[in-house]
Amino acid sequence: MQGIEGKLRTLIDAEAIAARVKELGAQITAAHQGQDVVVICVLKGSILFCADLVRQIDLPLTIEFLGLRSYEDGTETSGVVQITSDLTKPIEGKDVIVVEDIVDTGLTMQYLLENLETRRPRSVKLASLLHKPARTRVPVTIDYLGFTVDDVFVIGYGLDYAQRYRNLPFIGVLSP
Ligand code: 5GP
């Protein structure tokens, strides 16, 4: 990949991601039988995960997109989150599955899950591809988790570094 040759190490390869996404899809399919499911794809980081995950869920569902911006305080999210692009439909009475790329401090998801609850959905579950438990500041329940990762900055499969590398088909770590 241009500009980062030699600095990029594969952490989770494409085959391992595909296998885990398939398992999560089967788990979600079994758990949400008979429900009126709305999948919320949190932009931009979860687009690839969400696109693959929905194809492994054998249920009638709709897909909504939600854009979030977390304000950074140095290198870390400050917990101040803004919705940059909101859902196009109400979720009242719906069974919502939020699809996120990574739960790091937990501040972003805490904000979003509290915000969604005010819209009176029937249920809200969280699917996150990655979790960095070493960085937890607020505990967030991840109902469907792909992988746990160490305290490293990961890129690829939707996750960016300065808006780039989202198109890598695997999850990698940039070494300094
Ligand atoms: P939190 O509010 O949980 O600290 O942060 C969540 C957001 O921070 C994620 O949705 C993601 O956009 C960003 N983030 C946290 N850790 C990483 C990482 O290792 N790599 C990338 N690319 N983004 C991260």
Side-chain angles (χ1 to χ4, degrees):
M1 180 59 59
Q2 211 180 1
I4 53 171
E5 296 88 355
K7 293 185 189 161
L8 181 62
R9 176 170 65 85
T10 301
L11 190 66
I12 307 169
D13 67 23
E15 291 71 26
I17 295 170
R20 188 72 189 116
V21 169
K22 196 170 181 187
E23 287 173 358
L24 292 177
Q27 209 182 324
I28 290 170
T29 301
H32 293 264
Q33 288 293 315
Q35 293 188 355
D36 195 0
V37 172
V38 180
V39 169
I40 298 181
C41 175
V42 181
L43 299 172
K44 301 174 186 167
S46 72
I47 52 162
L48 301 194
F49 175 44
C50 192
D52 286 341
L53 183 63
V54 291
R55 281 178 281 184
Q56 299 297 333
I57 301 175
D58 187 12
L59 294 171
L61 55 79
T62 60
I63 304 176
E64 286 283 325
F65 297 92
L66 191 139
L68 286 182
R69 179 190 300 154
S70 323
Y71 287 94
E72 287 187 0
D73 182 6
T75 57
E76 192 158 291
T77 169
S78 62
V80 181
V81 183
Q82 184 191 354
I83 293 180
T84 55
S85 170
D86 207 349
L87 307 177
T88 60
K89 295 239 162 58
I91 54 167
E92 185 167 358
K94 304 283 188 184
D95 296 293
V96 170
I97 303 173
V98 176
V99 179
E100 173 65 317
D101 53 358
I102 183 165
V103 176
D104 185 24
T105 62
L107 290 164
T108 304
M109 277 305 105
Q110 182 192 45
Y111 169 85
L112 180 62
L113 295 172
E114 278 177 8
N115 179 293
L116 294 177
E117 281 299 344
T118 66
R119 307 181 196 200
R120 301 162 60 93
R122 184 167 168 270
S123 67
V124 180
K125 300 285 182 196
L126 174 61
S128 182
L129 178 66
L130 302 172
H131 183 213
K132 267 191 215 172
R135 303 240 318 153
T136 301
R137 280 174 57 190
V138 288
V140 170
T141 302
I142 303 173
D143 303 282
Y144 310 109
L145 173 63
F147 303 92
T148 295
V149 292
D150 292 337
D151 186 5
V152 287
F153 191 80
V154 291
I155 59 168
Y157 196 65
L159 290 135
D160 74 310
Y161 172 64
Q163 296 301 323
R164 298 193 186 268
Y165 314 116
R166 295 191 195 275
N167 57 324
L168 291 174
F170 58 90
I171 293 165
V173 180
L174 271 183
S175 49

PDB file of all heavy atoms in Angstrom, residues 6 8 13 19 21 26 32 37 48 60 67 71 80 91 102 104 110 117 120 145 150:
ATOM      1  N   GLY A   6       6.425  -1.656   4.464  1.00  0.00           N
ATOM      2  CA  GLY A   6       7.386  -1.972   5.518  1.00  0.00           C
ATOM      3  C   GLY A   6       6.921  -1.565   6.905  1.00  0.00           C
ATOM      4  O   GLY A   6       7.461  -1.999   7.902  1.00  0.00           O
ATOM      5  N   LEU A   8       3.563  -1.647   7.744  1.00  0.00           N
ATOM      6  CA  LEU A   8       2.239  -2.213   7.992  1.00  0.00           C
ATOM      7  C   LEU A   8       2.343  -3.704   8.287  1.00  0.00           C
ATOM      8  O   LEU A   8       2.926  -4.465   7.523  1.00  0.00           O
ATOM      9  CB  LEU A   8       1.370  -1.991   6.747  1.00  0.00           C
ATOM     10  CG  LEU A   8      -0.061  -2.479   6.792  1.00  0.00           C
ATOM     11  CD1 LEU A   8      -0.856  -1.765   7.883  1.00  0.00           C
ATOM     12  CD2 LEU A   8      -0.731  -2.238   5.439  1.00  0.00           C
ATOM     13  N   ASP A  13      -6.258 -11.248   9.213  1.00  0.00           N
ATOM     14  CA  ASP A  13      -6.321 -11.327   7.752  1.00  0.00           C
ATOM     15  C   ASP A  13      -7.766 -11.463   7.250  1.00  0.00           C
ATOM     16  O   ASP A  13      -8.708 -11.691   8.034  1.00  0.00           O
ATOM     17  CB  ASP A  13      -5.396 -12.421   7.203  1.00  0.00           C
ATOM     18  CG  ASP A  13      -5.819 -13.828   7.585  1.00  0.00           C
ATOM     19  OD1 ASP A  13      -7.005 -14.045   7.880  1.00  0.00           O
ATOM     20  OD2 ASP A  13      -4.946 -14.719   7.589  1.00  0.00           O
ATOM     21  N   ALA A  19     -14.558 -15.316   8.215  1.00  0.00           N
ATOM     22  CA  ALA A  19     -15.058 -16.442   9.027  1.00  0.00           C
ATOM     23  C   ALA A  19     -15.809 -15.925  10.255  1.00  0.00           C
ATOM     24  O   ALA A  19     -16.876 -16.434  10.616  1.00  0.00           O
ATOM     25  CB  ALA A  19     -13.889 -17.337   9.440  1.00  0.00           C
ATOM     26  N   VAL A  21     -17.190 -12.907  10.655  1.00  0.00           N
ATOM     27  CA  VAL A  21     -18.403 -12.180  10.244  1.00  0.00           C
ATOM     28  C   VAL A  21     -19.526 -13.181   9.954  1.00  0.00           C
ATOM     29  O   VAL A  21     -20.688 -12.954  10.299  1.00  0.00           O
ATOM     30  CB  VAL A  21     -18.110 -11.268   9.027  1.00  0.00           C
ATOM     31  CG1 VAL A  21     -19.388 -10.718   8.412  1.00  0.00           C
ATOM     32  CG2 VAL A  21     -17.191 -10.110   9.445  1.00  0.00           C
ATOM     33  N   ALA A  26     -24.717 -15.533  11.727  1.00  0.00           N
ATOM     34  CA  ALA A  26     -25.535 -16.679  12.152  1.00  0.00           C
ATOM     35  C   ALA A  26     -26.106 -16.444  13.554  1.00  0.00           C
ATOM     36  O   ALA A  26     -27.280 -16.749  13.832  1.00  0.00           O
ATOM     37  CB  ALA A  26     -24.689 -17.949  12.120  1.00  0.00           C
ATOM     38  N   HIS A  32     -32.612 -12.881  16.456  1.00  0.00           N
ATOM     39  CA  HIS A  32     -33.582 -11.844  16.082  1.00  0.00           C
ATOM     40  C   HIS A  32     -34.742 -12.375  15.244  1.00  0.00           C
ATOM     41  O   HIS A  32     -35.398 -11.608  14.538  1.00  0.00           O
ATOM     42  CB  HIS A  32     -32.863 -10.704  15.347  1.00  0.00           C
ATOM     43  CG  HIS A  32     -31.918  -9.936  16.236  1.00  0.00           C
ATOM     44  ND1 HIS A  32     -32.259  -8.764  16.869  1.00  0.00           N
ATOM     45  CD2 HIS A  32     -30.658 -10.212  16.620  1.00  0.00           C
ATOM     46  CE1 HIS A  32     -31.233  -8.339  17.589  1.00  0.00           C
ATOM     47  NE2 HIS A  32     -30.245  -9.193  17.455  1.00  0.00           N
ATOM     48  N   VAL A  37     -36.191  -5.706  12.181  1.00  0.00           N
ATOM     49  CA  VAL A  37     -34.813  -5.267  12.431  1.00  0.00           C
ATOM     50  C   VAL A  37     -34.413  -4.074  11.553  1.00  0.00           C
ATOM     51  O   VAL A  37     -34.655  -4.056  10.347  1.00  0.00           O
ATOM     52  CB  VAL A  37     -33.831  -6.449  12.192  1.00  0.00           C
ATOM     53  CG1 VAL A  37     -32.385  -5.985  12.250  1.00  0.00           C
ATOM     54  CG2 VAL A  37     -34.078  -7.566  13.211  1.00  0.00           C
ATOM     55  N   LEU A  48     -17.507  -1.337   5.606  1.00  0.00           N
ATOM     56  CA  LEU A  48     -17.131  -2.647   5.040  1.00  0.00           C
ATOM     57  C   LEU A  48     -17.664  -3.776   5.918  1.00  0.00           C
ATOM     58  O   LEU A  48     -18.207  -4.767   5.417  1.00  0.00           O
ATOM     59  CB  LEU A  48     -15.610  -2.771   4.876  1.00  0.00           C
ATOM     60  CG  LEU A  48     -14.909  -1.745   3.984  1.00  0.00           C
ATOM     61  CD1 LEU A  48     -13.501  -2.201   3.649  1.00  0.00           C
ATOM     62  CD2 LEU A  48     -15.673  -1.477   2.714  1.00  0.00           C
ATOM     63  N   PRO A  60     -35.430 -10.479   7.233  1.00  0.00           N
ATOM     64  CA  PRO A  60     -35.828  -9.258   6.542  1.00  0.00           C
ATOM     65  C   PRO A  60     -35.355  -8.068   7.383  1.00  0.00           C
ATOM     66  O   PRO A  60     -35.573  -8.051   8.600  1.00  0.00           O
ATOM     67  CB  PRO A  60     -37.357  -9.335   6.493  1.00  0.00           C
ATOM     68  CG  PRO A  60     -37.746 -10.358   7.506  1.00  0.00           C
ATOM     69  CD  PRO A  60     -36.554 -11.192   7.840  1.00  0.00           C
ATOM     70  N   GLY A  67     -23.995   9.235  10.662  1.00  0.00           N
ATOM     71  CA  GLY A  67     -22.638   9.797  10.689  1.00  0.00           C
ATOM     72  C   GLY A  67     -22.346  10.414  12.037  1.00  0.00           C
ATOM     73  O   GLY A  67     -23.172  11.146  12.593  1.00  0.00           O
ATOM     74  N   TYR A  71     -15.008  14.623  18.784  1.00  0.00           N
ATOM     75  CA  TYR A  71     -13.973  15.656  18.895  1.00  0.00           C
ATOM     76  C   TYR A  71     -12.798  15.113  19.677  1.00  0.00           C
ATOM     77  O   TYR A  71     -12.977  14.508  20.729  1.00  0.00           O
ATOM     78  CB  TYR A  71     -14.539  16.904  19.557  1.00  0.00           C
ATOM     79  CG  TYR A  71     -15.439  17.597  18.595  1.00  0.00           C
ATOM     80  CD1 TYR A  71     -16.810  17.353  18.592  1.00  0.00           C
ATOM     81  CD2 TYR A  71     -14.912  18.432  17.628  1.00  0.00           C
ATOM     82  CE1 TYR A  71     -17.639  17.945  17.671  1.00  0.00           C
ATOM     83  CE2 TYR A  71     -15.729  19.030  16.690  1.00  0.00           C
ATOM     84  CZ  TYR A  71     -17.094  18.782  16.723  1.00  0.00           C
ATOM     85  OH  TYR A  71     -17.908  19.362  15.793  1.00  0.00           O
ATOM     86  N   VAL A  80     -17.022  14.217  23.434  1.00  0.00           N
ATOM     87  CA  VAL A  80     -17.988  15.133  22.825  1.00  0.00           C
ATOM     88  C   VAL A  80     -18.235  14.640  21.405  1.00  0.00           C
ATOM     89  O   VAL A  80     -17.332  14.598  20.583  1.00  0.00           O
ATOM     90  CB  VAL A  80     -17.465  16.586  22.810  1.00  0.00           C
ATOM     91  CG1 VAL A  80     -18.499  17.514  22.183  1.00  0.00           C
ATOM     92  CG2 VAL A  80     -17.120  17.027  24.218  1.00  0.00           C
ATOM     93  N   ILE A  91     -37.148   5.142  14.576  1.00  0.00           N
ATOM     94  CA  ILE A  91     -36.871   3.745  14.973  1.00  0.00           C
ATOM     95  C   ILE A  91     -37.795   3.307  16.104  1.00  0.00           C
ATOM     96  O   ILE A  91     -37.590   2.260  16.699  1.00  0.00           O
ATOM     97  CB  ILE A  91     -35.384   3.547  15.377  1.00  0.00           C
ATOM     98  CG1 ILE A  91     -34.973   4.554  16.452  1.00  0.00           C
ATOM     99  CG2 ILE A  91     -34.482   3.631  14.151  1.00  0.00           C
ATOM    100  CD1 ILE A  91     -33.636   4.228  17.114  1.00  0.00           C
ATOM    101  N   ILE A 102     -15.137  -0.065  15.889  1.00  0.00           N
ATOM    102  CA  ILE A 102     -14.310  -0.372  17.062  1.00  0.00           C
ATOM    103  C   ILE A 102     -14.811   0.385  18.282  1.00  0.00           C
ATOM    104  O   ILE A 102     -15.194   1.553  18.177  1.00  0.00           O
ATOM    105  CB  ILE A 102     -12.817  -0.046  16.774  1.00  0.00           C
ATOM    106  CG1 ILE A 102     -11.911  -0.420  17.946  1.00  0.00           C
ATOM    107  CG2 ILE A 102     -12.604   1.406  16.357  1.00  0.00           C
ATOM    108  CD1 ILE A 102     -10.431  -0.472  17.588  1.00  0.00           C
ATOM    109  N   ASP A 104     -13.413   1.767  21.576  1.00  0.00           N
ATOM    110  CA  ASP A 104     -12.107   2.076  22.158  1.00  0.00           C
ATOM    111  C   ASP A 104     -12.344   2.525  23.602  1.00  0.00           C
ATOM    112  O   ASP A 104     -12.456   1.687  24.503  1.00  0.00           O
ATOM    113  CB  ASP A 104     -11.467   3.151  21.260  1.00  0.00           C
ATOM    114  CG  ASP A 104     -10.064   3.530  21.633  1.00  0.00           C
ATOM    115  OD1 ASP A 104      -9.372   2.729  22.268  1.00  0.00           O
ATOM    116  OD2 ASP A 104      -9.638   4.648  21.279  1.00  0.00           O
ATOM    117  N   GLN A 110     -21.390   5.097  24.056  1.00  0.00           N
ATOM    118  CA  GLN A 110     -22.238   5.485  25.189  1.00  0.00           C
ATOM    119  C   GLN A 110     -23.161   6.635  24.761  1.00  0.00           C
ATOM    120  O   GLN A 110     -24.369   6.600  24.998  1.00  0.00           O
ATOM    121  CB  GLN A 110     -21.377   5.929  26.377  1.00  0.00           C
ATOM    122  CG  GLN A 110     -22.224   6.290  27.589  1.00  0.00           C
ATOM    123  CD  GLN A 110     -21.425   7.010  28.658  1.00  0.00           C
ATOM    124  OE1 GLN A 110     -20.651   7.928  28.390  1.00  0.00           O
ATOM    125  NE2 GLN A 110     -21.589   6.578  29.883  1.00  0.00           N
ATOM    126  N   GLU A 117     -31.838   5.493  22.536  1.00  0.00           N
ATOM    127  CA  GLU A 117     -32.871   5.087  23.506  1.00  0.00           C
ATOM    128  C   GLU A 117     -33.988   6.123  23.603  1.00  0.00           C
ATOM    129  O   GLU A 117     -35.148   5.767  23.807  1.00  0.00           O
ATOM    130  CB  GLU A 117     -32.261   4.864  24.903  1.00  0.00           C
ATOM    131  CG  GLU A 117     -31.546   3.517  25.071  1.00  0.00           C
ATOM    132  CD  GLU A 117     -32.436   2.279  24.867  1.00  0.00           C
ATOM    133  OE1 GLU A 117     -33.683   2.405  24.878  1.00  0.00           O
ATOM    134  OE2 GLU A 117     -31.865   1.185  24.684  1.00  0.00           O
ATOM    135  N   ARG A 120     -37.189   5.669  21.504  1.00  0.00           N
ATOM    136  CA  ARG A 120     -38.114   4.604  21.890  1.00  0.00           C
ATOM    137  C   ARG A 120     -38.114   3.373  20.963  1.00  0.00           C
ATOM    138  O   ARG A 120     -39.177   2.894  20.537  1.00  0.00           O
ATOM    139  CB  ARG A 120     -39.535   5.161  22.021  1.00  0.00           C
ATOM    140  CG  ARG A 120     -39.610   6.279  23.048  1.00  0.00           C
ATOM    141  CD  ARG A 120     -40.855   7.113  22.885  1.00  0.00           C
ATOM    142  NE  ARG A 120     -42.054   6.306  23.029  1.00  0.00           N
ATOM    143  CZ  ARG A 120     -42.707   6.142  24.162  1.00  0.00           C
ATOM    144  NH1 ARG A 120     -42.300   6.740  25.240  1.00  0.00           N
ATOM    145  NH2 ARG A 120     -43.782   5.400  24.198  1.00  0.00           N
ATOM    146  N   LEU A 145     -19.527  -9.318  19.157  1.00  0.00           N
ATOM    147  CA  LEU A 145     -18.160  -8.808  19.033  1.00  0.00           C
ATOM    148  C   LEU A 145     -17.340  -9.677  18.089  1.00  0.00           C
ATOM    149  O   LEU A 145     -17.334 -10.907  18.207  1.00  0.00           O
ATOM    150  CB  LEU A 145     -17.488  -8.771  20.417  1.00  0.00           C
ATOM    151  CG  LEU A 145     -15.990  -8.420  20.421  1.00  0.00           C
ATOM    152  CD1 LEU A 145     -15.745  -7.004  19.894  1.00  0.00           C
ATOM    153  CD2 LEU A 145     -15.413  -8.565  21.829  1.00  0.00           C
ATOM    154  N   ASP A 150      -5.311  -5.548  21.207  1.00  0.00           N
ATOM    155  CA  ASP A 150      -4.495  -4.852  22.201  1.00  0.00           C
ATOM    156  C   ASP A 150      -4.561  -3.345  21.960  1.00  0.00           C
ATOM    157  O   ASP A 150      -5.155  -2.889  20.989  1.00  0.00           O
ATOM    158  CB  ASP A 150      -3.040  -5.328  22.109  1.00  0.00           C
ATOM    159  CG  ASP A 150      -2.909  -6.784  22.551  1.00  0.00           C
ATOM    160  OD1 ASP A 150      -3.788  -7.257  23.296  1.00  0.00           O
ATOM    161  OD2 ASP A 150      -1.941  -7.429  22.123  1.00  0.00           O
TER     162      ASP A 150
END
